[in-house]
Amino acid sequence: MVDRRSESRRVDDRSIEIIGSLPASERGPLIHRTAVSSLKAESAAGRSLALLKIEVVDFRIERRSVEEVGRELASRKAIREQGDMFQLSENVASEASPFAFKYTYRDDDGLHTGTCQDWETEATFLRRRAEFQSEAKALDWMQHKFGVELPARGIVLAMGTHKRRLDQWLINGIVQVAPAPMQQSLL
């Protein structure tokens, strides 16, 4: 299947050169300038990637079925075996989380629920479970961190579509960002 999404391109890894980094003080303003509040508008404009401004309504953790975990393990194994130009495949965990992490959130288009598809959320849970030597303690920590602490500090969701389902937006990541500064009045 050909991927027709405008943001999907094959990268010539020889053309990539790191020339610097964005100072921490400029990261929040950049995210606030680029984040959107409507995925319907992004779809209408033909885009398939967006940083989405949201209001978190709920964060919940759901146990995955044995079949779901098995499919995830098979997918991760395939990624690790194929390799990639950035050598990120070696960072793909061989263990899959037995839990799905979901946000219910509000944007300009209404109320939505989505599962965090990013491996970092699952890896965080697996790391905490090993650290605490307790699944229950790790789940409590996740609930507080992702359901209370991060939303209180401010987050946007990194959203993207799948090449087979262009109308379905997926949560590809959680980006922490301080709230936008209030503009000064000219009084």
Side-chain angles (χ1 to χ4, degrees):
M1 171 179 240
V2 175
D3 192 347
R4 300 192 193 288
R5 296 174 296 170
S6 63
E7 294 91 352
S8 295
R9 299 286 184 255
R10 295 251 180 232
V11 175
D12 177 2
D13 60 330
R14 297 173 305 230
S15 71
I16 299 172
E17 179 183 351
I18 298 172
I19 58 172
S21 63
L22 187 64
S25 63
E26 295 179 28
R27 292 179 190 154
L30 174 65
I31 290 171
H32 286 294
R33 282 194 312 274
T34 57
V36 300
S37 57
S38 169
L39 294 176
K40 286 181 182 176
E42 294 303 289
S43 290
R47 290 187 279 274
S48 60
L49 290 173
L51 291 174
L52 182 64
K53 298 175 194 175
I54 61 160
E55 171 195 348
V56 174
V57 175
D58 188 33
F59 176 76
R60 69 181 183 282
I61 302 168
E62 297 178 0
R63 185 168 289 279
R64 289 178 168 167
S65 70
V66 172
E67 294 79 18
E68 288 173 306
V69 173
R71 282 192 301 271
E72 182 64 26
L73 286 171
S75 173
R76 288 173 188 223
K77 182 179 182 210
I79 291 169
R80 280 193 313 281
E81 289 174 352
Q82 79 181 10
D84 64 41
M85 69 178 189
F86 295 115
Q87 297 167 338
L88 296 175
S89 59
E90 64 195 32
N91 296 327
V92 174
S94 58
E95 183 180 4
S97 170
F99 298 96
F101 303 95
K102 298 184 175 193
Y103 276 107
T104 298
Y105 61 91
R106 183 175 289 112
D107 64 10
D108 285 355
D109 301 324
L111 197 62
H112 313 275
T113 298
T115 302
C116 298
Q117 304 290 325
D118 67 319
W119 63 269
E120 291 175 334
T121 304
E122 287 189 12
T124 300
F125 164 74
L126 295 172
R127 215 172 24 253
R128 294 296 173 241
R129 184 178 68 181
E131 176 187 334
F132 299 144
Q133 294 293 300
S134 166
E135 186 170 89
K137 287 181 182 177
L139 290 171
D140 288 345
W141 186 92
M142 292 292 290
Q143 186 65 50
H144 180 76
K145 184 71 163 185
F146 286 83
V148 178
E149 191 177 317
L150 290 176
R153 288 186 191 165
I155 61 171
V156 296
L157 299 179
M159 304 293 288
T161 62
H162 189 281
K163 71 180 177 181
R164 291 190 178 103
R165 295 181 297 276
L166 297 176
D167 59 338
Q168 181 183 4
W169 287 86
L170 306 170
I171 301 174
N172 294 324
I174 302 162
V175 181
Q176 186 176 334
V177 59
M182 298 292 289
Q183 282 192 321
Q184 296 289 331
S185 172
L186 295 175
L187 294 178

